[in-house]
Amino acid sequence: MGDKDWMFAWLERLPAGEIYERLTPWVRSISFNLGEIRDRSLYLLSMWYEHYFRHLPQALLARLEQDAALTAGLAQRQQPRDLIEQLTNGMCLEPVAELGQVLLIPQYHCSPFTVLDFYHRMATCLYPVRQRQDIDPVADLLPLTQCLADERGVMLMTVHGQISVPLSQYLQQHFVDGVKLFGVLMSVNGLTVLLIQVWLIRWSERFSLFQRMVLGSVLLAGGAVGFAFAQGWVAFILAMFVFTLGEIVLVPAEYAQVDQITPPGMRGTYYGTGGSRAGQLFGAVVGRHPAGIVWR
């Protein structure tokens, strides 16, 4: 039985009472339906493995294990502070009373960035796995090249996705109580998603993926144009409502479209290309100008 099968079997047999005992030291409020939560978590983990982790090359997993073993050896010879700084490419964790333990875990998918989290005096540090010395840069670029050259078309979105940054600056510079208005708009965005998302997605499923993407893009553009010409709170709220409808329609269709055109074994490359930071790069350059230029 592999590690995955063992973990799933263990979780499936885990009684609700034992789950409660294991969670008590870590969680203040524990739900009573732990059995349902366990079954739901088991299903989600199984689907996650089936659609993602099952396709990871064994060489990558072996590389992570080798890196973890190397880090364990370094931990015996180096000071914790120096080791953390070395593994994270410069991140410094000072020894303080509130920090009792640091878990160092190699990861590949967020490389070269480090993912850091704190909980109950424990820091979980997912550091980028060390680069192999035998890497062939040309060979590593082949999957990305294949993705970009796909005849079915993968568009790199060069739209600045961080709408909250230029919008907040624009409101602050051009409107009285602009900061409050921005907070209201973010609340409208969240409430619209919460109340309408399920119904709107079910309604839009009657259309093809292409039609959904077109509709979502039109709504997003309409909301952005609304921000440019709005003069009062009501107009801004209506523009945000339209913009959020576009998000709800477009984003699921976009991911579904990428999933359909992806060749076997290259789903991660395609999603990574679709999530390119080109939009953030060019958007930040545009954002150097006064906020009004972005919207007007």
Side-chain angles (χ1 to χ4, degrees):
M1 179 182 293
D3 293 338
K4 178 267 302 183
D5 298 321
W6 177 87
M7 187 194 74
F8 286 165
W10 171 79
L11 182 59
E12 186 176 13
R13 295 193 304 265
L14 197 63
E18 184 174 348
I19 298 176
Y20 181 87
E21 294 177 358
R22 290 175 177 270
L23 291 177
T24 299
W26 303 95
V27 183
R28 295 181 179 178
S29 178
I30 302 177
S31 176
F32 290 105
N33 58 336
L34 291 177
E36 296 178 10
I37 296 176
R38 175 202 58 207
D39 296 339
R40 180 63 176 171
S41 300
L42 182 61
Y43 169 76
L44 293 176
L45 289 172
S46 301
M47 292 297 100
W48 195 7
Y49 171 81
E50 182 65 26
H51 293 283
Y52 182 71
F53 286 104
R54 186 170 65 88
H55 303 284
L56 291 179
Q58 291 299 317
L60 174 58
L61 300 178
R63 182 178 165 199
L64 292 173
E65 293 177 354
Q66 294 170 1
D67 196 279
L70 178 60
T71 298
L74 293 175
Q76 304 297 322
R77 304 189 299 270
Q78 292 185 226
Q79 292 295 322
R81 184 180 182 277
D82 297 335
L83 178 59
I84 294 171
E85 185 174 359
Q86 174 185 335
L87 295 177
T88 60
N89 299 320
M91 185 175 294
C92 181
L93 293 182
E94 295 289 349
V96 293
E98 293 79 9
L99 182 60
Q101 185 180 18
V102 178
L103 299 181
L104 296 172
I105 306 172
Q107 53 84 15
Y108 172 81
H109 293 90
C110 294
S111 180
F113 303 106
T114 296
V115 181
L116 188 64
D117 186 35
F118 293 92
Y119 189 74
H120 276 232
R121 301 185 69 244
M122 180 177 67
T124 303
C125 181
L126 304 176
Y127 65 89
V129 64
R130 297 172 182 82
Q131 294 294 323
R132 302 192 312 270
Q133 299 301 318
D134 59 340
I135 288 180
D136 183 354
V138 176
D140 272 12
L141 283 175
L142 286 179
L144 179 59
T145 305
Q146 180 180 345
C147 174
L148 295 176
D150 192 328
E151 61 183 6
R152 290 164 294 188
V154 174
M155 294 182 297
L156 283 176
M157 301 183 66
T158 56
V159 176
H160 186 33
Q162 301 288 341
I163 184 176
S164 59
V165 176
L167 180 58
S168 62
Q169 294 175 355
Y170 174 62
L171 294 176
Q172 183 179 13
Q173 294 179 19
H174 293 80
F175 294 90
V176 179
D177 292 331
V179 176
K180 293 182 179 180
L181 174 57
F182 178 73
V184 171
L185 294 181
M186 291 299 100
S187 299
V188 170
N189 179 269
L191 286 174
T192 303
V193 172
L194 181 64
L195 299 176
I196 299 180
Q197 182 177 23
V198 174
W199 173 84
L200 185 57
I201 290 178
R202 289 178 179 175
W203 173 83
S204 65
E205 287 176 349
R206 69 186 67 186
F207 304 105
S208 67
L209 287 178
F210 178 76
Q211 291 173 327
R212 278 182 269 171
M213 293 178 68
V214 171
L215 175 60
S217 299
V218 170
L219 290 171
L220 282 175
V225 172
F227 292 142
F229 292 96
Q231 296 296 322
W233 282 48
V234 174
F236 272 107
I237 291 174
L238 290 176
M240 176 57 75
F241 178 75
V242 173
F243 187 91
T244 306
L245 294 180
E247 284 184 317
I248 296 173
V249 174
L250 175 62
V251 174
E254 179 186 16
Y255 282 107
Q257 179 69 32
V258 174
D259 187 73
Q260 284 190 3
I261 68 174
T262 303
M266 293 193 61
R267 183 175 287 111
T269 303
Y270 273 65
Y271 277 122
T273 305
S276 168
R277 294 294 187 243
Q280 281 77 351
L281 172 63
F282 293 113
V285 174
V286 175
R288 293 173 57 190
H289 301 286
I293 297 178
V294 179
W295 299 108
R296 294 176 184 265

